[in-house]
Amino acid sequence: MIDVLIIGSGGAGLTAALAAKHAGASVAVAGKAYPTNSQTSMAQGGMNAALGNVGEDDIDSHIADTVKSAKGLCDEAMVRYMCENAPGTIAWLERLGVPFSRLDNGKSGTQTIAQRQMGGASAKRACYAQDYTGLKILHTLYDTCLKEEIDFLDEHYLLNLVTNEGTVKGATFLDIRTGEVKQISARSVIIATGGYGALYHGFTTNAYGSTGDGVAAVLRAGGAVSDMEFIQFHPTALKHSSILVSESARGEGGYLVNEKGERFVDELKPRDEVARAIFSQIQEGQRVFLDVRHLGEEKLMELLPQEVELCKLHEHVDPAKELIPIQPVAHYTMGGIEVDQALEVQGIKGCFAVGECSNVKVHGANRLGGNSLLEITAFGKLAGEHAYQYALDASSQPVDDTQQQKDAEAIEALYTQKAGVNFYPYREKLGNLFYNKVGIVRDNAHLHDALNEVSAMQEMQKEMGISDKSRSNNQNLIDFLEFQNALILAPMIITSAIARDESRGAHYKVGFEQEDEALKKHTVIQWKKETTCK
Amino acid sequence: MQIKILRSETNTHQSYTLPAGEIPLLNALSYIKETQDATLTFSAGCRASVCGTCAVRVNGREELACAYKVKPGDIIEPLQYHPVLRDLKVDKHRAKETLLKSTAWLHTSQEASLTHRDEKLSERQTDCILCDSCYSACPVYAVNPDFLGPFALTRAYRYTTDKRESNAKNIIDNVQSNGVWDCILCGECTAVCPKSIDPKMDITMLRGLSVQEGYQDPSFTTQSFGTPDFGGGGFGFDPNAGF
């Protein structure tokens, strides 16, 4: 039996794997794609650490900025832990060989790492690697995992956690290649499966795979989720493709302008405020653009090469000469699996969660740019260490294959069941519904509408199924399982949003435009009794 | 418009009809899967050319499906030299094997004084998204399946140039067998890289570093100098290329 099973092979999962292995654990990493395919590859802008390499900065300012943006919903001890560990985490990544962008200051080590300003930050604090920061950190972590001989189980889709009396014993997976349902036993489990932004299908910067599979699995296994209503909308996604234009474009001096060419917001405010300002312009019938022309072609190619390429490809505009049409879309899910300060999941012993899927309460109601790459690496390390500590004392009593049998039967049922209704249009419908009714500006009437529509969709789900009956490499099946998870999470998000009759951070509700002191608390949801979602 | 996609089950090109208009190939594939044929299988991730998942061949050339705009009559096929798992989806596990063999990571890390210029030395190489396009375009694989391949060598080179590596010879040692000398410098990898990386140049640079470490082209000694030798390829080029 392995000590630590890590589910999810993005930045958080790889960091946890390296930390657990370093501590002495036997480790396996299971992911539904390949490690370097993860959402982490898309993080562009940077990773915060108060190094003070460019101007004055200190850890207390980093903490203060983070706490302020969280709007009263963070755990200050965890924010302190993260910010204090930021310089050390950068130093660790530096030792692994992350190719950060550099300054010419004659110094050495992390002191030569360039830093840029991100929204809501009081200093140039984000360490970056052009606009490929996530990609370059992810690949360096992967290279190091190969060096450390970490075991990878690629193309393993998480079905369920295996638990016994509230203690995790492993997890079941669909081996996508063979179609086989497998049970993997472990003394402890780390969930690092990423966020649920892909629920906003068509209106998200996220990859197709960010479907919250781990969050849904935790709910099914009796664990708790929290703050699900807090979904960050990134102010600047390309208008027609929802592809991200990094906040660093504004950090480097880009302006937001409306059709009349007027600036209407301080571009360096936190994302929630900027997104709402853009949204209100759009509601007034204005188109909104990002203007980076004044930065000049050379600087753009130096600082934002990826953006330039994506704008040309998807919007047919050259940012050096033309305005970039943008709109805010879903970008990051602050809420997720409810964990304690040791990152252990509430309700499931021995199960830990880290990264965007977990709610360790460092982002609160609104995440600052540059804090997510920090979160996955700083807390990924902690998760790996804590999971191994737990594993040392955990029972290695094997569990029976009840869960595996149950899951195999459920999958088998999908093969025999007739797929009367095509679920793909509903996936799109759900994305539209969420963008329009559970979006940047919410109100109770629309939220109730959305809840009704989701209920109808859940009812309709019984008629849906897979029309591809292949046993192996069945992406139609995976898409459907992901959609089922989306339909589990959708009502969690809506009901949490309905319950929060106030406006706080990314959650903004018409009729309740102010923060309500009485609601300065977390929304926690837990299913009373384990039920299947069929 | 119509495009043709190679289906693995029948080993034939199946025609699909798409609405007119310029869209990325990935959107076209999704459209087909969602509305016409749920069995059509392909891999996709970020939609933004950075996760490396969706590389395929279009009319015989490697492209990222999310970055290629579909044209009428396009023929879509899976990457070459990868076991096809289903339709356009291939097994990319060889990537891990070649990276492991080339030991493309920092071996012995030391603190260094890095500058903007140092950053530039490996900037392109670290843009690699492991999409496997270069690997698919590399003709060496037709004759030598054990070749380390373009991206593994680019990555090895990237770490040898890193001032934080105090023992670059380790990496050089590990790219000699089925490595730098087996490349024929045809440049196909460079031509297809969606991130404008130049693995051919990286391999050339690795050859230079290898020579500095005392290695030489292993086919050099068996090379005939008296008469034209069109069989050896020992000088790193195929004299028949282009004919």
Side-chain angles (χ1 to χ4, degrees):
Chain A
M1 190 185 275
I2 53 170
D3 295 326
V4 183
L5 169 64
I6 294 158
I7 308 170
S9 54
L14 298 187
T15 306
L18 288 168
K21 181 100 182 188
H22 183 74
S26 60
V27 175
V29 182
K32 67 178 167 183
Y34 296 92
T36 52
N37 293 167
S38 73
Q39 178 73 36
T40 306
S41 68
M42 298 178 76
Q44 300 179 350
M47 171 171 163
N48 289 335
L51 302 176
N53 287 354
V54 185
E56 291 251 320
D57 197 13
D58 56 61
I59 287 166
D60 285 339
S61 304
H62 187 184
I63 294 169
D65 291 343
T66 304
V67 168
K68 186 176 168 212
S69 184
K71 306 279 182 192
L73 278 193
C74 64
D75 177 336
E76 294 199 23
M78 295 313 271
V79 172
R80 175 165 290 279
Y81 175 87
M82 180 177 84
C83 298
E84 280 176 350
N85 275 277
T89 306
I90 293 284
W92 177 66
L93 293 172
E94 172 80 0
R95 281 199 299 280
L96 302 187
V98 171
F100 289 112
S101 290
R102 299 287 163 173
L103 303 163
D104 288 323
N105 59 8
K107 295 180 178 171
S108 70
T110 58
Q111 290 182 309
T112 66
I113 295 173
Q115 294 186 281
R116 62 168 48 137
Q117 188 133 6
M118 304 278 273
S122 57
K124 292 193 172 185
R125 184 178 294 142
C127 306
Y128 61 95
Q130 307 88 44
D131 53 359
Y132 285 113
T133 316
L135 174 83
K136 295 188 181 190
I137 289 175
L138 177 68
H139 280 244
T140 308
L141 290 172
Y142 181 58
D143 296 343
T144 310
C145 284
L146 295 181
K147 176 183 179 180
E148 301 299 333
E149 298 171 327
I150 303 277
D151 285 330
F152 285 105
L153 299 158
D154 299 327
E155 299 205 66
H156 277 55
Y157 181 80
L158 170 67
L159 293 172
N160 279 298
L161 293 168
V162 178
T163 55
N164 183 18
E165 291 172 356
T167 300
V168 79
K169 293 288 181 181
T172 57
F173 297 89
L174 176 73
D175 182 333
I176 300 172
R177 293 178 170 207
T178 62
E180 185 193 350
V181 173
K182 291 178 179 171
Q183 182 162 321
I184 298 172
S185 298
R187 290 188 175 87
S188 69
V189 170
I190 297 173
I191 303 175
T193 49
Y196 46 91
L199 203 123
Y200 287 78
H201 192 87
F203 297 93
T204 175
T205 59
N206 287 193
Y208 291 115
S210 299
T211 46
D213 303 324
V215 185
V218 159
L219 267 173
R220 285 193 297 265
V225 299
S226 58
D227 298 335
M228 296 291 284
E229 67 273 33
F230 290 105
I231 290 159
Q232 179 168 78
F233 286 77
H234 198 288
T236 59
L238 294 180
K239 190 174 176 183
H240 302 98
S241 58
S242 292
I243 286 169
L244 175 68
V245 179
S246 165
E247 182 166 294
S248 48
R250 282 172 286 136
E252 300 288 358
Y255 304 136
L256 288 167
V257 294
N258 62 20
E259 245 172 283
K260 291 182 246 167
E262 299 163 344
R263 287 175 70 184
F264 53 86
V265 65
D266 171 2
E267 288 85 357
L268 286 177
K269 283 188 163 181
R271 288 176 180 172
D272 57 330
E273 294 179 50
V274 180
R276 274 197 301 281
I278 296 171
F279 187 72
S280 76
Q281 290 285 321
I282 292 172
Q283 278 196 315
E284 286 168 27
Q286 291 281 326
R287 285 179 298 162
V288 178
F289 302 92
L290 179 64
D291 187 354
V292 292
R293 293 173 299 180
H294 53 286
L295 298 178
E297 190 166 359
E298 196 182 338
K299 195 167 176 196
L300 285 173
M301 287 311 290
E302 166 74 28
L303 297 166
L304 305 162
Q306 181 181 184
E307 315 297 3
V308 173
E309 217 171 291
L310 290 170
C311 288
K312 286 179 181 168
L313 185 67
H314 293 282
E315 299 289 325
H316 306 285
V317 297
D318 178 354
K321 300 189 185 87
E322 294 160 278
L323 295 170
I324 309 165
I326 54 102
Q327 67 174 359
V329 301
H331 179 61
Y332 188 90
T333 49
M334 270 80 72
I337 301 164
E338 172 70 1
V339 295
D340 63 16
Q341 293 192 340
L343 303 177
E344 193 169 12
V345 177
Q346 184 186 317
I348 311 174
K349 278 205 268 308
C351 185
F352 300 79
V354 68
E356 194 176 343
C357 68
S358 91
N359 183 12
V360 62
K361 300 179 196 67
V362 287
H363 308 309
N366 183 44
R367 178 179 68 82
L368 285 182
N371 270 354
S372 64
L373 285 173
L374 175 58
E375 180 191 12
I376 60 174
T377 43
F379 289 114
K381 198 157 176 284
L382 197 67
E385 286 163 3
H386 284 178
Y388 180 53
Q389 280 306 316
Y390 177 91
L392 285 175
D393 298 324
S395 155
S396 55
Q397 186 80 28
V399 276
D400 61 26
D401 60 355
T402 311
Q403 187 67 49
Q404 184 183 2
Q405 302 260 3
K406 218 161 94 182
D407 291 337
E409 281 164 27
I411 298 289
E412 193 54 40
L414 287 176
Y415 277 106
T416 48
Q417 182 183 316
K418 194 170 158 283
V421 175
N422 183 357
F423 71 89
Y424 285 116
Y426 282 89
R427 183 172 73 172
E428 204 168 316
K429 204 175 152 191
L430 185 67
N432 265 299
L433 177 71
F434 261 68
Y435 189 67
N436 291 313
K437 296 187 176 170
V438 199
I440 302 161
V441 173
R442 300 165 174 179
D443 66 67
N444 278 331
H446 281 118
L447 288 171
H448 281 286
D449 277 356
L451 194 58
N452 288 336
E453 288 196 47
V454 167
S455 301
M457 244 184 249
Q458 284 177 322
E459 199 53 37
M460 185 63 89
Q461 191 191 318
K462 292 171 189 159
E463 313 288 317
M464 299 177 198
I466 53 171
S467 42
D468 180 0
K469 303 295 185 184
S470 169
R471 296 282 158 170
S472 60
N473 298 292
N474 189 333
Q475 188 59 36
N476 185 222
L477 171 60
I478 301 301
D479 292 343
F480 186 59
L481 295 171
E482 289 177 339
F483 179 64
Q484 287 186 316
N485 282 337
L487 283 184
I488 287 176
L489 299 181
M492 305 293 141
I493 299 165
I494 303 170
T495 48
S496 304
I498 289 172
R500 191 171 286 283
D501 273 338
E502 65 161 351
S503 293
R504 189 185 290 272
H507 173 74
Y508 186 89
K509 193 187 276 188
V510 175
F512 304 92
E513 286 86 356
Q514 301 303 318
E515 278 179 28
D516 181 349
E517 189 60 24
L519 289 170
K520 191 177 158 186
K521 52 191 178 187
H522 302 281
T523 325
V524 182
I525 300 177
Q526 191 167 16
W527 289 353
K528 273 258 159 82
K529 206 176 140 208
E530 192 190 338
T531 50
T532 57
C533 55
K534 298 284 138 32
Chain B
M1 86 172 107
Q2 286 217 323
I3 61 170
K4 284 182 172 175
I5 302 174
L6 183 60
R7 302 301 305 272
S8 53
E9 221 162 283
T10 53
N11 199 29
T12 54
H13 291 89
Q14 189 169 338
S15 285
Y16 291 99
T17 306
L18 298 168
E22 199 191 60
I23 55 164
L25 172 58
L26 181 54
N27 300 35
L29 296 175
S30 299
Y31 172 82
I32 293 167
K33 190 170 185 74
E34 289 166 20
T35 64
Q36 299 176 18
D37 183 355
T39 68
L40 177 68
T41 302
F42 54 92
S43 302
C46 72
R47 306 166 289 129
S49 318
V50 74
C51 78
T53 311
C54 68
V56 292
R57 296 180 93 224
V58 181
N59 307 325
R61 190 184 194 279
E62 286 69 17
E63 302 280 357
L64 292 181
C66 67
Y68 176 82
K69 297 287 171 66
V70 191
K71 290 169 194 68
D74 278 345
I75 296 170
I76 321 297
E77 293 168 333
L79 294 181
Q80 301 190 108
Y81 312 122
H82 291 73
V84 174
L85 294 174
R86 196 177 175 201
D87 298 336
L88 303 175
K89 182 187 169 190
V90 298
D91 183 342
K92 289 188 173 178
H93 276 124
R94 277 280 290 151
K96 192 165 86 179
E97 289 165 30
T98 57
L99 289 169
L100 271 170
K101 281 186 189 151
S102 56
T103 65
W105 48 71
L106 221 50
H107 286 237
T108 314
S109 188
Q110 64 183 6
E111 186 171 291
S113 179
L114 292 168
T115 63
H116 190 61
R117 192 173 164 274
D118 294 320
E119 172 198 343
K120 292 286 151 199
L121 280 181
S122 69
E123 183 185 309
R124 272 290 169 209
Q125 288 80 359
T126 54
D127 285 348
C128 175
I129 58 175
L130 292 182
C131 67
D132 283 41
S133 289
C134 56
Y135 189 129
S136 168
C138 174
V140 175
Y141 281 107
V143 291
N144 180 7
D146 294 324
F147 181 43
L148 290 178
F151 62 71
L153 292 173
T154 277
R155 192 159 291 214
Y157 174 65
R158 165 255 179 284
Y159 282 105
T160 63
T161 62
D162 199 315
K163 281 187 182 169
R164 289 169 290 186
E165 175 61 70
S166 65
N167 193 7
K169 183 173 183 296
N170 252 346
I171 304 174
I172 299 292
D173 289 344
N174 292 327
V175 295
Q176 297 303 313
S177 169
N178 291 308
V180 291
W181 308 107
D182 296 75
C183 169
I184 56 168
L185 300 181
C186 67
E188 291 291 334
C189 48
T190 303
V192 301
C193 178
K195 292 290 169 191
S196 309
I197 301 166
D198 187 356
K200 177 189 171 185
M201 181 57 77
D202 297 335
I203 292 167
T204 311
M205 298 297 277
L206 276 174
R207 286 185 175 185
L209 290 170
S210 301
V211 170
Q212 286 172 32
E213 295 293 351
Y215 289 102
Q216 62 176 357
D217 187 341
S219 61
F220 187 79
T221 49
T222 57
Q223 193 74 39
S224 160
F225 296 98
T227 53
D229 178 3
F230 291 159
F235 287 111
F237 67 92
D238 176 0
N240 290 317
F243 294 95

